[in-house]
Amino acid sequence: QAKALGEKVSYFHQDMNLAIEHKKQLTKALNLAVADNQLKLFYQPKVLPDTGDIVGFEALIRWQHEEFGYISPAEFIPLAEETGLIEPLGEWIILEAARQAGEWVKLGYTELKVAVNLSPKQFISARLAQVISESIENSGIQPSNLELEITESMLMENVESAILVMEQFSRQGINISLDDFGTGYSSLSYLKRFPIHTLKIDRSFVAQLASDNDDAKIVATIITMAHTLGLKVVAEGVETKEQMLFLQGRRCDQLQGYYFSRPVSALEATELLNRSFSN
Ligand code: C2E
Ligand code: CA
Ligand code: CA
Ligand code: CA
């Protein structure tokens, strides 16, 4: 018994050492990747349910490492947060997304919105407002061409100052989306106090729409509630026709998911745009 436990403990240490070693390697690689411009932004369309027109894109970061292969942002964004690398990386994301939005505006898509995910550290950074203003000036877009996706948990640590930050962007004309809605501490009472424009229903609810009656009710209720509060609703993770039809029937404002398109390169996104409006 004792020996078995001892073995377990030593395996545990081994695993931990491996995990620490892995993290060190990844941190080093990430620093190099940022310095070396190895990271790219991909874009996933947000479409109108009735026409299929693309009204916006969510920018999602991609990292293809020569040796390690594809590394998910779900893995390296938290690491960038931890190590402080999120500051330069986050700035690059905003500047690059705005630059690309500027390209699309120049092509005539003047109403398009490009959404950027903000990480918690970025949201409370004193430089954020300046970086966003810079990105708008440099790219020649309107503030309304830019959208910020934030999560509930980012707002809950310091509600009052979060509201001030959001109001500042909102006054400028930048839209704010509450991402992963329904997964956080449901702060329904805050919803009316946050100066947000859009709720994004988390894909965990969308996934079971057709098979789980409770999820269907939850989604329908979120849409109704959002509309009552004057908010737009985007459903993420739409993968099937059934899900699409359900959400369309419930008057969900915008849909996003593999059913329409995976996140794609800027070049492919431009092709999707041209096709979306040519019919
Ligand atoms: P998120 O903001 O909730 O992004 C949505 C995720 O769902 C993306 O994963 C997207 O590729 C994926 N997705 C879209 N449609 C579907 C679908 O139909 N089915 C399924 N199963 N998945 C779908 P991704 O790109 O791996 O990003 C994961 C998370 O990493 C994001 O979640 C976001 O929290 C973070 N992230 C990604 N890019 C950035 C970024 O540029 N900055 C920051 N701060 N975070 C980012
Ligand atoms: Ca998002
Ligand atoms: Ca989301
Ligand atoms: Ca999510």
Side-chain angles (χ1 to χ4, degrees):
Q1 189 80 44
K3 181 158 177 272
L5 181 63
E7 264 170 25
K8 268 187 200 153
V9 169
S10 114
Y11 276 126
F12 174 70
H13 278 294
Q14 249 178 7
D15 284 353
M16 238 177 44
N17 286 336
L18 271 178
I20 291 169
E21 199 44 49
H22 173 75
K23 211 163 142 178
K24 268 193 202 156
Q25 271 203 349
L26 208 59
T27 307
K28 208 172 136 198
L30 185 58
N31 271 291
L32 283 173
V34 171
D36 199 30
N37 280 320
Q38 286 172 29
L39 299 164
K40 298 208 162 18
L41 290 186
F42 268 36
Y43 298 89
Q44 188 179 37
K46 297 180 184 180
V47 310
L48 297 179
D50 293 341
T51 61
D53 283 352
I54 296 174
V55 289
F57 288 107
E58 176 176 5
L60 294 156
I61 195 158
R62 292 292 177 263
W63 182 18
Q64 183 71 37
H65 191 272
E66 288 183 324
E67 196 184 326
F68 307 145
Y70 175 74
I71 302 166
S72 163
E75 185 170 2
F76 70 81
I77 290 287
L79 198 62
E81 277 263 314
E82 236 177 89
T83 58
L85 198 62
I86 196 68
E87 282 276 336
L89 180 56
E91 286 192 26
W92 176 80
I93 292 168
I94 294 170
L95 292 167
E96 175 60 16
R99 190 197 61 72
Q100 184 56 53
E103 299 289 324
W104 286 323
V105 167
K106 275 181 218 133
L107 287 175
Y109 301 109
T110 54
E111 305 291 299
L112 200 71
K113 290 187 190 303
V114 176
V116 172
N117 289 286
L118 293 185
S119 76
K121 278 234 178 83
Q122 250 185 308
F123 186 70
I124 56 168
S125 154
R127 279 182 51 77
L128 180 65
Q130 197 194 319
V131 173
I132 287 180
S133 297
E134 250 178 59
S135 79
I136 292 171
E137 275 165 38
N138 294 351
S139 60
I141 59 173
Q142 300 297 316
S144 59
N145 293 124
L146 200 62
E147 194 164 30
L148 305 174
E149 295 196 5
I150 59 180
T151 58
E152 264 174 292
S153 56
M154 284 163 57
L155 307 176
M156 302 320 285
E157 262 178 40
N158 193 338
V159 174
E160 296 310 320
S161 74
I163 290 177
L164 288 177
V165 173
M166 285 189 286
E167 272 170 352
Q168 182 192 352
F169 293 128
S170 193
R171 265 198 307 273
Q172 268 181 273
I174 299 170
N175 271 40
I176 300 174
S177 273
L178 199 52
D179 206 352
D180 301 341
F181 186 73
T183 60
Y185 313 93
S186 253
S187 46
L188 292 181
S189 64
Y190 286 119
L191 258 193
K192 60 174 190 193
R193 291 187 55 207
F194 291 147
I196 54 168
H197 307 83
T198 307
L199 290 186
K200 288 191 84 173
I201 304 177
D202 191 69
R203 73 165 185 263
S204 58
F205 298 110
V206 176
Q208 314 287 335
L209 264 188
S211 57
D212 186 323
N213 206 251
D214 288 338
D215 280 356
K217 283 182 198 156
I218 289 171
V219 167
T221 306
I222 293 177
I223 295 172
T224 304
M225 178 196 64
H227 286 163
T228 306
L229 292 171
L231 303 171
K232 288 218 154 100
V233 194
V234 178
E236 64 175 20
V238 180
E239 292 185 355
T240 68
K241 188 165 187 181
E242 279 128 296
Q243 292 164 356
M244 186 274 284
L245 289 172
F246 178 93
L247 292 158
Q248 183 186 37
R250 299 294 169 153
R251 310 312 302 154
C252 189
D253 298 280
Q254 294 172 24
L255 309 179
Q256 184 184 354
Y258 296 168
Y259 179 74
F260 302 97
S261 171
R262 292 190 172 250
V264 293
S265 70
L267 200 69
E268 290 168 281
T270 307
E271 281 167 19
L272 289 177
L273 260 183
N274 291 335
R275 257 191 279 152
S276 155
F277 288 102
S278 64
N279 50 23

